[in-house]
């Protein structure tokens, strides 16, 4: 062993342990059981058996073990954004898509086309850019993958600017923040703007965060390590103190996370900010938001807040195959067109055909680059059975599967649009980048509808 290092030889790594033992010891704390310490016994930690602890110090260790359950933050409210959990609506056993007969599959496709009839399926292109990213976009040091991400971020900022969401006195909440790159560029774009806050929501610990680049700036960055399902924005200290209007943003917010984020913004946060109840019941929240919030300024009483708590929403969508009926915000829309949880289950699986059902082209270099670019931010977990490539050979062509997959995506997204419209928002879907840059190239935007003040009767 090296001088001053542990004397334990790690067979798996074929080298000595590199930890530093305590003064006068030959072994580190992890391997101290190899050294006689007055017959002190080391046992596996009950919280995490991957490490050991002296038996007589177990209680002391449990109080500081990194694997102990951490106290919940003040903004943690169990399942506040989860939606309804009516078990009766969920079938006990969902038959895999690959197990359907040809007749059942054709019937499903017929119902999909019927439900999609009359919907706006041809989205407008809003492929924009922003000055804040021009230097990075022209930097030759950036590789192909980095360039694709920069183009997407530039277009998202361009769309935010188009909707007048880049302004002072606002709190930008990035859902599924990861390293925080989208917030980073928003901060660069608002370099000369005062009173800007950033909340980066991410449930997992993240390496290589870019938050440290903003320590010398006036902007305030705060990370919220919590699942969106349990996040109550109204209880976040910054928002509780300053009551800032919020702009919800996200780049490639996977599946159900989009629905959780929408409900977090337009139900729990919006209603709690409008009223004074700290924890209103979910039904009361929805009723208050639907009936009161859209017409708040039309009331006969003046209020100190002339703005809506949520100034706007800009989220790049992806991974519809990871959606969940219990969290989905468009359930009422699905029911209105005669669909339910069973059809939703199949349509969310079929949505993968839009990006993953093209077996003939997966060997091409261009497609491989696109898929690599996507998997850097979200994980594709589709199997060959899920994509239907084996079962559907000879039944549907590649182009037909791709078309049906896109139809499923638009149907699911339309439910989100109707949900936002019912909540008093002007919502839209648009292509924000080329498919060559990202196969998931649809952006969901929403801003509050202008309040209509009725004219006085003569």
């Amino acid at each position: 062993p090296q001088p001053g290092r542990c004397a334990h030889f790690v067979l798996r790594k074929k080298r000595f342990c590199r930890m530093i033992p305590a003064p006068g010891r030959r072994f580190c704390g992890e391997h101290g059981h190899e050294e006689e310490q007055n017959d002190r016994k080391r046992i596996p930690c009950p919280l995490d058996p991957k490490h050991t602890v002296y038996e007589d110090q177990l209680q002391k260790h449990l109080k500081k073990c990194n694997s102990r359950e951490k106290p919940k933050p003040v903004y943690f409210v169990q399942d506040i954004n989860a939606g309804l959990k009516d078990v009766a609506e969920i079938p006990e056993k969902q038959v895999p898509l690959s197990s359907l007969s040809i007749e059942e599959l054709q019937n499903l496709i017929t119902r999909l086309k019927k439900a999609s009839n009359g919907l706006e399926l041809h989205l407008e292109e809003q492929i924009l850019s922003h000055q804040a990213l021009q230097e990075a976009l022209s930097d030759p040091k950036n590789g192909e993958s980095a360039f694709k991400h920069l183009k997407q971020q530039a277009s998202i900022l361009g769309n935010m600017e188009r909707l007048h969401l880049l302004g002072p006195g606002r709190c930008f909440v990035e859902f599924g923040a990861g390293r925080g790159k989208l917030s980073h560029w928003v901060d660069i774009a608002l370099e000369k703007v005062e009173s800007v806050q950033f909340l980066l929501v991410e449930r997992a610990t993240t390496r290589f965060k870019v938050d440290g680049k903003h320590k010398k700036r006036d902007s305030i960055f705060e990370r919220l390590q919590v699942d969106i399902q349990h996040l109550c924005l109204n209880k976040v200290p910054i928002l509780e103190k300053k009551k800032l209007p919020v702009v919800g943003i996200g780049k490639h917010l996977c599946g159900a996370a989009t629905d959780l984020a929408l409900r977090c913004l337009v139900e729990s946060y919006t209603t709690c900010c409008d009223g004074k109840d700290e924890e209103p019941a979910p039904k009361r929240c929805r009723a208050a938001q639907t009936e009161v919030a859209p017409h708040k300024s039309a009331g006969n009483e003046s209020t100190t807040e002339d703005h809506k708590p949520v100034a706007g929403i800009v989220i790049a969508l992806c991974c519809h195959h990871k959606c969940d009926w219990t969290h989905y915000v468009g359930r009422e829309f699905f029911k209105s067109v005669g669909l339910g949880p069973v059809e939703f289950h199949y349509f969310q699986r079929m949505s993968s055909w839009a990006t993953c059902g093209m077996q003939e082209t997966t060997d091409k270099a261009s497609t491989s680059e696109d898929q690599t670019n996507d998997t850097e931010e979200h994980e594709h977990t589709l199997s060959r059975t899920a994509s239907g490539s084996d079962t559907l050979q000879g039944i549907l062509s590649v182009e037909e599967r791709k078309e049906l997959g896109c139809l499923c995506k638009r149907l699911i997204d339309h439910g989100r649009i109707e949900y936002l419209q019912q909540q008093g928002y002007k919502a839209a879907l648009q292509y924000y980048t080329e498919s060559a840059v990202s196969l998931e190239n649809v952006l969901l935007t929403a801003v509050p509808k202008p309040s209509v003040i009725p004219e006085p009767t003569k």
Side-chain angles (χ1 to χ4, degrees):
Q2 298 177 5
R5 302 289 178 170
C6 178
H8 173 78
F9 186 78
V10 186
L11 290 174
R12 181 173 59 87
K13 298 183 178 180
K14 298 181 180 180
R15 62 168 174 78
F16 284 94
C17 174
R18 294 173 179 170
M19 298 297 291
I20 301 175
R25 304 280 178 85
R26 294 182 59 240
F27 296 90
C28 66
E30 177 63 23
H31 304 117
H33 59 279
E34 299 183 19
E35 186 174 16
E36 292 187 8
Q37 295 290 330
N38 300 322
D39 296 328
R40 295 176 70 190
K41 182 181 179 182
R42 291 188 72 87
I43 59 174
C45 173
L47 300 178
D48 182 7
K50 292 181 180 178
H51 66 273
T52 61
V53 60
Y54 283 116
E55 188 175 26
D56 57 2
Q57 292 185 340
L58 177 61
Q59 295 305 317
K60 181 180 179 181
H61 171 79
L62 292 177
K63 294 179 181 179
K64 61 181 181 179
C65 178
N66 289 332
S67 300
R68 72 189 185 281
E69 184 178 357
K70 308 294 192 300
K72 297 290 188 296
V74 292
Y75 45 78
F76 181 98
V77 178
Q78 186 72 36
D79 294 330
I80 187 172
N81 305 313
L84 297 176
K85 291 187 176 180
D86 189 353
V87 181
E89 290 189 13
I90 308 299
E92 292 184 3
K93 187 177 181 180
Q94 295 175 327
V95 180
L97 187 63
S98 57
S99 300
L100 296 179
S101 65
I102 297 178
E103 292 75 16
E104 289 173 323
L105 182 62
Q106 290 175 338
N107 179 56
L108 200 61
I109 294 173
T110 301
R111 300 190 67 183
L112 170 64
K113 292 181 177 179
K114 182 180 179 181
S116 304
N117 188 30
L119 300 184
E120 183 58 52
L121 302 176
H122 301 287
L123 305 184
E124 181 183 356
E125 282 193 356
Q126 291 288 352
I127 303 176
L128 307 176
S129 190
H130 195 278
Q131 186 62 34
L133 288 94
Q134 292 311 305
E135 183 178 347
L137 283 168
S138 58
D139 188 351
K141 294 181 181 179
N142 288 318
E144 182 67 20
S145 178
F147 181 70
K148 289 181 178 181
H149 287 301
L150 288 169
K151 288 194 70 173
Q152 294 175 69
Q153 290 155 349
S155 185
I156 291 175
L157 261 67
N159 278 277
M160 292 176 67
E161 188 172 54
R162 175 177 63 88
L163 297 171
H164 308 291
L165 296 178
L166 294 177
R170 290 177 178 173
C171 179
F172 295 88
V173 182
E174 183 180 357
F175 294 94
R179 296 172 58 194
K181 293 288 284 187
L182 184 56
S183 292
H184 165 75
W185 290 116
V186 173
D187 184 47
I188 297 296
L190 298 174
E191 185 175 6
K192 298 180 181 179
V193 176
E194 297 181 353
S195 185
V196 179
Q197 317 274 348
F198 291 90
L199 295 177
L200 280 63
V201 183
E202 179 60 62
R203 65 182 178 182
T205 55
T206 307
R207 301 176 65 190
F208 310 116
K209 298 184 287 287
V210 297
D211 310 21
K213 296 183 179 180
H214 309 275
K215 289 182 178 179
K216 295 181 180 180
R217 300 169 63 92
D218 295 333
S219 303
I220 297 178
F221 276 71
E222 181 180 348
R223 278 195 172 259
L224 308 180
Q225 189 174 339
V226 61
D227 194 307
I228 305 171
Q229 182 171 327
H230 313 301
L231 172 60
C232 180
L233 284 175
N234 190 49
K235 293 181 179 293
V236 176
I238 291 179
L239 295 177
E240 190 175 23
K241 180 180 179 181
K242 296 189 177 183
K243 301 295 183 185
L244 295 171
V246 160
V247 178
I249 61 177
K251 178 173 176 283
H252 288 176
L253 195 57
C254 291
T258 294
D259 300 297
L260 296 173
L262 294 179
R263 192 175 283 111
C264 175
L265 290 165
V266 306
E267 286 193 39
S268 60
Y269 179 65
T270 299
T271 306
C272 291
C273 284
D274 286 345
K276 293 190 177 181
D277 290 337
E278 289 188 0
E279 295 187 38
K283 289 184 179 179
R284 182 178 174 186
C285 276
R286 281 192 291 275
Q289 172 66 13
T290 305
E291 298 172 10
V292 179
H295 308 288
K296 185 176 178 183
S297 62
N300 52 15
E301 64 175 8
S302 61
T303 129
T304 55
E305 291 182 333
D306 200 24
H307 60 264
K308 287 186 179 298
V310 177
I313 301 170
V314 180
I315 295 175
L317 306 172
C318 83
C319 295
H320 293 72
H321 65 276
K322 290 186 178 181
C323 290
D324 189 298
W325 176 257
T326 59
H327 301 318
Y328 181 50
V329 296
R331 286 176 300 191
E332 293 304 318
F333 161 70
F334 257 64
K335 293 176 183 178
S336 70
V337 292
L339 303 175
V342 175
E343 291 80 11
F344 181 84
H345 165 72
Y346 290 128
F347 292 162
Q348 56 111 344
R349 303 309 297 172
M350 290 164 61
S351 69
S352 64
W353 295 350
T355 55
C356 303
M358 300 171 283
Q359 292 296 316
E360 287 85 348
T361 59
T362 52
D363 293 332
K364 294 183 179 180
S366 60
T367 306
S368 299
E369 289 176 2
D370 289 341
Q371 291 177 344
T372 302
N373 178 49
D374 283 341
T375 52
E376 288 181 5
E377 294 186 71
H378 49 91
E379 179 184 1
H380 286 291
T381 57
L382 293 173
S383 63
R384 289 171 63 86
T385 302
S387 66
S389 57
D390 291 339
T391 309
L392 301 174
Q393 289 295 341
I395 301 175
L396 296 171
S397 68
V398 172
E399 287 302 318
E400 286 175 328
R401 291 203 302 272
K402 181 180 178 181
E403 183 180 347
L404 291 171
C406 291
L407 206 58
C408 290
K409 283 177 174 283
R410 297 295 77 79
L411 189 68
I412 293 173
D413 289 339
H414 186 79
R416 292 164 169 167
I417 293 296
E418 283 212 356
Y419 166 80
L420 289 168
Q421 290 174 343
Q422 291 171 2
Q423 300 291 334
Y425 290 82
K426 181 181 178 182
L429 298 168
Q430 51 263 309
Y431 293 118
Y432 78 103
T433 192
E434 301 89 350
S435 58
V437 173
S438 176
L439 295 175
E440 299 281 16
N441 60 341
V442 174
L443 189 70
L444 170 66
T445 60
V447 292
K449 291 179 182 177
S451 299
V452 179
I453 302 177
E455 295 182 2
T457 55
K458 295 182 180 180

